[in-house]
Amino acid sequence: LMWGKTSGDTIYYYYNMLGAEEKSIYDKIVQGYAGMKQEIELYTDENCMKKLKEMVYADHPEFFWIDGGYQIESTNITGQNDGSIRIILTDHSFWQKRDISAARKMLEDAVAELIVAANQFNDPYDKVKFVNDWLAENVEYDEKSLIDPTGMTEADKAFVNTVYGTLVERRTLCGGYAYTFSYIMNRLGIETLYITGATCEGLHAWN
């Protein structure tokens, strides 16, 4: 897997929506996540940081261990009153680094196996249908984690809605299905988006 590959790759929809300055911040976040750094120092405003973190994860669901923490160290660091602040991303995982490395290897193996199977077809439509059907037939919708998460560890609750939960643990929710389908399609060269929104039943994710 090409973990953390960004610049110049048209397969990443959200990355290619950005201007040069935001792309440089996006790249720094991706490089930090790919290197499993526990702290990533950014200089931007808080709203921009939050937006870019969401875009990074939408483009890169392979960073399944990220928990989203951050802290603001200082304000007005440029002295120009431009809204820039020093932000430290503190995305500490629920696992130790050695465990994340082992989990990434298991995910890589599962992704590679699914891609090989999908590539038996030449027509993009057949690849899309195969992956869609495979996910529907082989991954359980984990309704229990929504209704009654009693007994689940923090790691279980965190990873159920990720590509790791989907392809390795074979249980997930709508977000995990959508992240995984998007990731596999993009790896196959078929551009696909991860999209979120609201329905009459609440928040939802799809492609």
Side-chain angles (χ1 to χ4, degrees):
L1 294 178
M2 295 300 293
W3 299 100
K5 182 180 177 185
T6 57
S7 298
D9 195 328
T10 58
I11 210 71
Y12 296 122
Y13 175 81
Y14 292 103
Y15 177 77
N16 285 288
M17 291 176 62
L18 303 173
E21 184 175 349
E22 288 184 323
K23 281 183 176 179
S24 69
I25 299 171
Y26 176 113
D27 282 339
K28 191 169 185 179
I29 295 172
V30 169
Q31 290 160 11
Y33 287 169
M36 292 188 290
K37 293 183 178 179
Q38 290 194 322
E39 292 189 354
I40 306 169
E41 187 173 301
L42 305 173
Y43 293 92
T44 185
D45 65 83
E46 189 173 7
N47 288 335
C48 178
M49 177 274 296
K50 289 180 178 179
K51 178 186 77 171
L52 292 176
K53 276 169 58 70
E54 291 179 1
M55 296 175 91
V56 164
Y57 197 67
D59 280 343
H60 295 274
E62 68 266 30
F63 300 136
F64 59 87
W65 62 91
I66 302 305
D67 69 17
Y70 70 94
Q71 62 191 48
I72 296 174
E73 293 287 329
S74 59
T75 60
N76 194 24
I77 51 93
T78 64
Q80 302 299 316
N81 294 317
D82 60 359
S84 294
I85 54 178
R86 182 170 178 261
I87 299 171
I88 307 295
L89 300 188
T90 54
D91 287 299
H92 302 294
S93 70
F94 292 102
W95 294 351
Q96 298 296 317
K97 281 190 176 183
R98 65 176 180 275
D99 298 320
I100 296 173
S101 296
R104 287 174 73 170
K105 178 62 168 61
M106 288 189 284
L107 176 59
E108 180 179 344
D109 290 344
V111 169
E113 183 177 345
L114 187 52
I115 286 176
V116 168
N119 274 329
Q120 68 183 295
F121 303 101
N122 293 320
D123 191 318
Y125 172 84
D126 293 327
K127 293 182 181 183
V128 170
K129 186 176 186 304
F130 173 81
V131 174
N132 177 80
D133 292 350
W134 188 96
L135 291 172
E137 294 168 5
N138 292 279
V139 182
E140 175 189 359
Y141 184 82
D142 192 7
E143 191 173 13
K144 181 181 184 298
S145 65
L146 286 176
I147 298 174
D148 181 22
T150 305
M152 295 181 68
T153 66
E154 289 301 311
D156 286 338
K157 287 186 283 187
F159 298 137
V160 67
N161 211 24
T162 67
V163 290
Y164 178 85
T166 306
L167 293 180
V168 178
E169 297 183 344
R170 300 288 183 91
R171 58 188 181 87
T172 196
L173 299 171
C174 61
Y177 283 115
Y179 279 131
T180 303
F181 185 79
S182 176
Y183 184 61
I184 297 297
M185 287 295 102
N186 289 334
R187 288 291 308 279
L188 288 167
I190 301 171
E191 294 191 16
T192 309
L193 302 182
Y194 172 85
I195 301 171
T196 59
T199 71
C200 59
E201 296 181 353
L203 298 178
H204 188 46
W206 64 93
N207 302 111

